[in-house]
């Protein structure tokens, strides 16, 4: 029998089924190109009879569950709107999720200007709850944040595929979930496209832009001479780790053959987390060619790991092995919706806006459209910019009056997009949009009317500031905040960081070129009994809420990353500057006895609100008894309502 087995193998080895012979890389590319719907005709395909139709009603429908969509949904929900959040994948977070594992970049590129608001809430929560740096735990945290909001209905594994309009306004959308065999028919008053690819805007007939505008259109020095239908490519990330023994790697047959010439402009100094410059497809249809782009990115990634492991250039990787390789092309750009204003290069570098609602600060960071297929040039060109304001007019559609947008699809030129596309900026846009949407629902107006009505616009901006959103050159002017008219004293204060700074209207210190130029916080050295700050009024005031903004070390980078060397520079724990334990007490006018109102322990958050049965008091005292490691008590702002 042994001889017969050997004989059988020899006879039939050259007649194996065709499927067992790997196709060539060129054949794979031809097959994938055949699937790209370049000549396809768009049509509306109704759901089959097997699907159950479920009707939902909401104030605000958010399409897309990346960070922009998550922040839009949470902000609107916290301001009283009933929200439906539709996400086409099983996880929230988009490119920051465990499906892609891209760290959240943003205005922290300018030292001292890390975004505040919801994205800071997420970052600090993740640093405390996830010291092990697990992207899956980041996913879980975002899921917890969303489902813990009673005003949000979350639909995962569901995608928006049609929109119904009454004249120019969207009235409802259709969203399909094959996992639950349901079609959701969702009616709402306001809508937000945070899909990145403008999926909802496309179905609604919103005005859309693509490609790179000609230099002359907006007088942008960084734009090409002539318009071209190209953008930035997509990337696939990988992670690796060290093992106690040698770990071989055999690439698939279709992996690219990478040489030193391919990476002469690309740094390979570490390999635990790589690489944003594994980029391809900016000169193709980022949507229709998704399968071909996925293949090319996997071909580059596996070929690059083969080069790292087997070229002999990096012998120190002998015991390293891949432990995760992305399968979803992480898009940078595709379509952009057009709003009442198109943000441009000059806007980013030198202009302010009356209707400013959030900041950006990532450099103007452009990439060659062909990405890795341009080994002769650097993988990006970066032009630093100071933090800049983004106007509300860039965050709603010009021709669909009840459609907002937040994320990489906002209204901007390609040049401005190279800065606004990053997730920290997108998240802050989402918070602005969600807050504005709740106002529109409450007042029965369209977003454009907020810009036209100066009082409403100021109300929106003041609401965002109260929620810890950063808007440059805007300060607290909330007439309802009783703290603004108090006299402030303290147990002590550092030079330039006096007690009165907690009511100066600013939520953060100001940095220029990496140096702190303005201090807007109270800072006092902790003594044996801690440190205290007191607000006193000329007559008793009644209030039921005290809001405190603490210091969470905004001058440092803080984000979840697979990059070990970058993460070593962060504090994956409560930030040491943040007040941990404190009490709040108050005194009535007719007595010197103090009454304890709040006793807080274990705090690590930046924005904290304490609500209670209304009290009448002539003074309150915040007594800090412990920090998370710092030797100073620090508070940016105190508000009373």
């Amino acid at each position: 029998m042994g001889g017969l087995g050997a004989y059988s193998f020899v006879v039939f080895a050259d007649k194996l089924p065709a499927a067992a012979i790997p196709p060539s890389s060129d054949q794979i590319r031809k097959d994938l190109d055949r699937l790209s719907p370049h000549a396809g005709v768009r049509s509306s395909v109704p759901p089959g009879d097997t699907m159950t139709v479920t009707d939902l009603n909401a104030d605000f429908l958010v399409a897309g569950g990346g960070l922009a969509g998550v922040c839009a949904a949470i902000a609107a929900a916290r301001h009283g709107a009933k929200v439906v959040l539709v996400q086409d994948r099983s996880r929230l977070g988009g490119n920051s999720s465990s499906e892609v594992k891209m760290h959240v970049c943003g205005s922290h590129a300018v030292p001292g200007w890390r975004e505040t608001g919801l994205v800071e809430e997420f970052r600090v929560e993740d640093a405390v709850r996830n010291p092990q740096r697990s992207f899956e735990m980041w996913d879980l945290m975002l899921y917890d944040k969303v489902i813990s909001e009673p005003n949000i209905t979350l639909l995962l594994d569901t995608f928006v595929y049609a929109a119904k309009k009454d004249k120019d306004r969207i009235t409802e959308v259709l969203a399909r979930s094959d996992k639950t065999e349901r079609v959701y028919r969702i009616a709402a008053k306001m809508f937000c496209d945070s899909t990145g690819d403008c999926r909802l805007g496309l179905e609604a007939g919103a005005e859309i832009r693509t490609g790179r505008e000609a230099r002359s259109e907006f007088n942008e020095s960084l734009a090409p001479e002539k318009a071209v239908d190209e953008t930035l490519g997509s990337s696939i990330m990988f992670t690796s780790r060290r093992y106690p023994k040698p770990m071989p790697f055999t690439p698939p047959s279709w992996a690219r053959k990478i040489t030193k010439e391919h990476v002469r402009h690309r740094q390979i100094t570490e390999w635990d987390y790589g690489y944003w410059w594994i980029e391809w497809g900016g000169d193709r249809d980022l949507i229709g060619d998704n399968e071909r782009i996925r293949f090319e990115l996997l071909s580059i990634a596996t070929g690059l790991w083969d080069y790292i492991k087997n070229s002999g250039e990096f012998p120190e990787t002998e015991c390293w092995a891949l432990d995760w390789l992305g399968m979803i092309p992480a898009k940078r750009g595709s379509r952009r919706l057009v709003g009442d204003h198109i943000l441009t290069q000059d806007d980013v570098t030198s202009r302010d806006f009356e209707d400013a609602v959030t900041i950006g600060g990532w450099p103007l960071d452009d990439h060659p459209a062909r990405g890795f297929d341009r080994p002769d040039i650097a993988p990006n060109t970066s032009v630093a910019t100071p933090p800049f304001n983004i106007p509300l007019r860039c965050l709603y559609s010009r021709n669909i009056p009840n459609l907002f947008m937040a994320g990489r699809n906002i209204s901007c030129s390609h040049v401005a997009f190279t800065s606004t596309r990053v997730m920290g900026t997108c998240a802050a846009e989402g918070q602005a949009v969600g807050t504005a949407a709740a106002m529109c629902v409450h007042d029965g107006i369209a977003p454009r009317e907020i810009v036209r009505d100066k009082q409403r616009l100021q109300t929106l901006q003041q609401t965002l500031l109260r929620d810890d959103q950063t808007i440059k050159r805007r300060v607290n002017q909330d007439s309802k905040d009783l703290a603004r008219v108090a006299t402030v004293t303290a147990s002590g204060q550092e030079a330039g960081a006096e007690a009165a700074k907690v009511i100066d209207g600013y939520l953060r210190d100001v940095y220029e070129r990496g140096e702190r130029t303005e201090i807007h916080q109270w800072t006092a050295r902790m003594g044996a009994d801690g440190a205290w700050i007191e607000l006193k009024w000329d007559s008793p005031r009644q209030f039921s809420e005290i809001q405190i903004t603490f210091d969470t070390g905004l001058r440092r980078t803080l984000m979840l990353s697979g990059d070990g060397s970058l993460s070593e520079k962060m504090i994956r724990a409560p930030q040491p500057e943040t007040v941990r334990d404190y009490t709040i007490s108050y005194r009535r006018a007719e007595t010197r006895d103090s009454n304890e109102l709040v006793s807080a322990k274990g705090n690590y958050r930046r924005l904290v609100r304490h609500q209670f049965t209304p009290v009448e008091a002539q003074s309150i005292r915040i007594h800090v008894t412990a920090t998370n490691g710092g030797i100073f008590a620090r508070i940016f702002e105190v508000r009373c309502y």
Side-chain angles (χ1 to χ4, degrees):
M1 293 295 292
L4 180 60
Y7 175 78
S8 299
F9 177 78
V10 172
V11 169
F12 296 109
D14 62 342
K15 296 182 180 180
L16 290 171
I21 301 172
S24 67
S25 300
D26 288 342
Q27 184 59 50
I28 293 173
R29 292 185 176 93
K30 288 179 182 178
D31 290 343
L32 291 172
D33 281 339
R34 180 173 55 82
L35 296 174
S36 297
H38 295 297
V41 178
R42 290 184 57 81
S43 63
S44 178
V45 181
D49 291 339
T50 60
M51 303 290 279
T52 301
V53 177
T54 300
D55 287 313
L56 297 175
N57 286 280
D59 295 319
F60 186 40
L61 179 284
V62 180
L67 283 188
V70 166
C71 288
I74 291 177
R78 290 182 180 179
H79 284 286
K82 298 293 184 181
V83 182
V84 173
L85 173 59
V86 179
Q87 165 70 328
D88 64 354
R89 307 214 291 256
S90 61
R91 294 172 183 266
L92 298 166
N95 285 348
S96 74
S97 76
S98 62
E99 293 180 314
V100 176
K101 296 189 179 180
M102 181 62 204
H103 50 227
V104 178
C105 296
S107 57
H108 72 267
V110 185
W113 284 96
R114 195 168 84 213
E115 297 91 351
T116 51
L118 284 173
V119 69
E120 176 69 0
E121 177 183 325
F122 299 166
R123 281 169 162 154
V124 171
E125 190 80 22
D126 177 66
V128 173
R129 302 295 186 192
N130 184 21
Q132 67 269 35
R133 296 192 293 126
S134 165
F135 277 87
E136 287 77 9
M137 292 300 99
W138 169 262
D139 296 344
L140 181 61
M141 183 270 294
L142 293 178
Y143 179 77
D144 175 45
K145 290 286 184 183
V146 169
I147 67 165
S148 296
E149 293 293 336
N151 281 340
I152 298 179
T153 298
L154 174 63
L155 302 177
L156 293 174
D157 296 309
T158 306
F159 60 92
V160 168
Y161 71 91
K164 182 179 178 180
K165 293 194 300 181
D166 179 8
K167 297 179 181 178
D168 58 353
R169 295 176 63 88
I170 306 172
T171 57
E172 65 181 36
V173 302
L174 293 178
R176 177 175 178 134
S177 170
D178 287 331
K179 289 188 180 300
T180 60
E181 297 181 352
R182 286 181 183 271
V183 168
Y184 296 96
R185 190 163 49 202
I186 309 165
K189 301 179 181 72
M190 292 290 146
F191 297 81
C192 176
D193 189 329
S194 288
T195 63
D197 290 336
C198 304
R199 191 72 189 88
L200 175 55
L202 184 71
E203 293 297 333
E207 189 175 343
I208 289 173
R209 278 183 172 246
T210 59
R212 304 173 190 236
E213 294 86 357
R215 185 173 303 168
S216 59
E217 183 168 358
F218 299 113
N219 192 29
E220 295 175 307
S221 63
L222 297 177
E225 284 276 352
K226 296 181 179 180
V228 59
D229 192 18
E230 295 179 343
T231 185
L232 280 62
S234 301
S235 290
I236 273 178
M237 308 294 289
F238 68 79
T239 61
S240 68
R241 61 190 178 101
R242 185 182 177 89
Y243 290 81
K245 63 179 181 179
M247 301 293 287
F249 176 71
T250 301
S253 61
W254 40 262
R256 293 242 190 144
K257 305 304 179 186
I258 306 297
T259 68
K260 185 181 294 187
E261 184 63 22
H262 287 108
V263 295
R264 65 188 176 105
H265 291 294
R266 290 159 171 80
Q267 290 188 340
I268 301 177
T269 55
E270 301 194 22
W271 33 81
D272 57 341
Y273 180 65
Y275 295 101
W276 62 264
W277 44 256
I278 298 177
E279 181 177 2
W280 198 85
D283 57 338
R284 308 213 24 142
D285 179 350
L286 270 294
I287 298 165
D289 289 340
N290 188 69
E291 291 305 320
R292 171 69 188 277
I293 291 168
R294 187 201 319 270
F295 170 75
E296 295 295 345
L297 290 172
L298 290 170
S299 174
I300 294 167
T302 53
L304 186 66
W305 188 249
D306 179 38
Y307 172 72
I308 292 171
K309 286 287 295 181
N310 300 323
S311 67
E313 295 287 335
F314 308 96
E316 59 270 45
T317 66
E318 181 184 24
C319 294
W320 286 77
L322 288 178
D323 70 345
W324 175 85
L325 177 62
M327 290 297 294
I328 296 176
K331 292 176 187 171
R332 291 179 173 85
S334 56
R335 308 178 179 115
R336 306 184 302 278
L337 291 164
V338 179
D340 275 352
H341 182 78
I342 298 174
L343 200 73
T344 67
Q345 179 181 335
D346 283 349
D347 294 336
V348 167
T349 57
S350 59
R351 289 182 185 160
D352 194 9
F353 299 95
E354 185 178 23
D355 58 324
V357 288
T358 186
I359 63 166
W362 190 251
L364 294 163
D365 180 19
D366 208 354
H367 300 191
R370 293 178 60 200
F372 196 81
D373 281 352
R374 288 300 308 271
D376 56 315
I377 59 176
N380 73 319
T381 302
S382 182
V383 178
T385 178
F388 57 90
N389 279 333
I390 298 173
L392 182 62
R393 285 169 296 150
C394 291
L395 305 181
Y396 61 83
S397 170
R398 181 156 71 187
N399 66 315
I400 307 295
N402 63 338
L403 177 62
F404 286 97
M405 54 271 200
R408 58 182 172 86
N409 62 347
I410 69 166
S411 180
C412 56
S413 70
H414 172 81
V415 173
F417 154 83
T418 64
S419 171
T420 62
R421 62 185 174 82
V422 292
M423 286 184 282
T425 303
C426 294
E429 294 162 5
Q431 181 166 355
V433 160
T435 307
M439 175 183 285
C440 288
V441 169
H442 183 270
D443 293 353
I445 60 173
R448 183 175 289 122
E449 295 177 58
I450 296 177
V451 178
R452 292 174 175 171
D453 186 328
K454 306 308 178 189
Q455 184 58 51
R456 279 198 174 102
L457 177 59
Q458 185 179 39
T459 298
L460 173 61
Q461 291 169 330
Q462 289 299 312
T463 302
L464 287 165
L465 291 174
R466 183 174 176 178
D467 292 340
D468 196 30
Q469 177 92 308
T470 295
I471 310 174
K472 279 189 72 178
R473 293 177 288 274
R474 305 301 192 276
V475 297
N476 176 14
Q477 296 176 334
D478 188 351
S479 60
K480 296 179 181 179
D481 177 13
L482 301 175
R484 294 178 62 223
V485 295
T487 300
V488 189
T489 56
S491 59
Q493 55 192 25
E494 296 295 296
E498 296 82 9
K501 293 294 179 71
V502 300
I503 58 169
D504 72 356
Y506 289 85
L507 291 167
R508 61 189 304 152
D509 296 335
V510 175
Y511 287 77
E512 293 183 11
R513 297 179 178 85
E515 299 295 326
R516 187 167 66 170
T517 57
E518 297 178 28
I519 300 174
H520 293 289
Q521 63 172 265
W522 166 63
T523 305
R525 185 176 292 274
M526 293 285 287
D529 192 37
W532 56 263
I533 188 168
E534 186 171 278
L535 280 68
K536 185 175 182 179
W537 292 270
D538 54 5
S539 60
R541 307 297 169 103
Q542 188 179 76
F543 49 87
S544 58
E545 179 180 325
I546 295 175
Q547 175 175 314
I548 310 173
T549 305
F550 295 112
D551 188 347
T552 49
L554 295 179
R555 70 186 183 279
R556 284 191 303 276
T557 299
L558 183 64
M559 60 186 178
L560 175 62
S561 176
D563 186 329
S565 61
L566 179 62
S567 298
E568 287 174 359
K569 302 173 185 176
M570 304 179 203
I571 299 173
R572 301 290 304 173
Q575 304 305 291
E577 298 93 339
T578 310
V579 168
R580 189 189 74 192
D581 303 336
Y582 59 95
T583 61
I584 303 176
S585 58
Y586 71 98
R587 286 189 174 92
R588 298 185 178 90
E590 68 274 9
T591 177
R592 291 189 175 185
D593 295 333
S594 65
N595 304 275
E596 185 173 286
L597 198 57
V598 173
S599 178
K601 293 186 180 297
N603 176 62
Y604 53 83
R605 297 176 177 86
R606 173 175 155 87
L607 178 63
V608 178
R609 289 178 171 132
H610 296 288
Q611 296 175 333
F612 39 83
T613 302
V615 298
E616 189 172 88
Q618 191 157 1
S619 67
I620 63 167
R621 176 174 290 194
I622 302 170
H623 186 183
V624 178
T625 55
T627 70
N628 283 287
I631 62 173
F632 295 100
R634 302 174 185 269
I635 296 177
F636 276 109
E637 185 178 63
V638 178
R639 295 187 182 213
C640 298
Y641 294 94

